[in-house]
Amino acid sequence: MALRGSGSAPGISDHRCNVRQGDTHFKEFAVKGNVVDLAIGIIIGAAFGKIVTSFVNDILMPPIGKLLGGFDFSNLFINLSDKSVNTLAEAKAAGIATINYGLFLNTLIDFTIVAAAVFILVRQINRLKAEEPASAPTTKECPYCLNAVPVKATRCGHCTSELR
């Protein structure tokens, strides 16, 4: 049976036009300022996360470890096997299961620093946003007919009552 008209079965539309429209909509969405700003924020956030991790692992934790007896937090672990190992690296090399609570503490400190930085940043941005002063009303209510009339009006345009 031959179909006439659009060349497709009844009830089935030609999707070629919709694909082009979808492509156009995607391009409009992708180049909007908010999407680009979000992408830049994610990239800067990832870089900031690396800086914070380096700060915690290389600058903050070594002096704290020295003050607390000269140990390395990243080497704190619980050995879950019967084999005796002295370092986390030895345990990993031997394939021994461990609970790495020292690494977890470092990650927790990383998170705390990033969360504090984001909190401070958001608070400062909110302070910089100037609250718009409330604008003076442009209309008032007629006490007789309850319709809105301009503030400067001396008579109601609806009921012609004299306004005070």
Side-chain angles (χ1 to χ4, degrees):
M1 177 174 150
L3 297 173
R4 295 183 199 152
S6 68
S8 62
I12 299 175
S13 63
D14 189 0
H15 292 291
R16 285 177 287 178
C17 184
N18 291 340
V19 171
R20 282 190 213 119
Q21 287 175 348
D23 187 38
T24 303
H25 292 298
F26 178 75
K27 285 179 186 175
E28 289 174 10
F29 168 77
V31 297
K32 279 186 180 178
N34 293 341
V35 175
V36 175
D37 291 345
L38 178 63
I40 291 169
I42 289 171
I43 292 167
I44 290 174
F48 180 70
K50 289 180 182 180
I51 291 170
V52 169
T53 299
S54 176
F55 171 75
V56 169
N57 293 337
D58 302 330
I59 295 172
L60 183 66
M61 295 310 280
I64 291 173
K66 184 169 177 128
L67 288 172
L68 297 176
F71 60 86
D72 180 13
F73 277 84
S74 63
N75 203 31
L76 297 177
F77 66 97
I78 298 173
N79 186 349
L80 297 177
S81 74
D82 296 334
K83 297 179 184 177
S84 178
V85 290
N86 294 326
T87 66
L88 183 58
E90 289 176 13
K92 285 187 177 189
I96 295 173
T98 58
I99 296 176
N100 306 324
Y101 66 92
L103 293 174
F104 177 74
L105 286 173
N106 282 352
T107 304
L108 189 62
I109 292 169
D110 282 356
F111 171 77
T112 304
I113 291 171
V114 170
V118 168
F119 172 75
I120 290 168
L121 178 69
V122 169
R123 193 172 74 191
Q124 292 303 322
I125 289 172
N126 287 338
R127 282 185 184 168
L128 293 176
K129 288 183 181 177
E131 292 184 25
E132 295 181 17
S135 60
T138 59
T139 61
K140 62 183 177 181
E141 193 173 83
C142 173
Y144 303 103
C145 69
L146 303 177
N147 283 315
V149 294
V151 172
K152 294 182 179 180
T154 56
R155 286 199 176 266
C156 177
H158 303 281
C159 69
T160 67
S161 298
E162 189 174 330
L163 303 173
R164 295 182 192 152

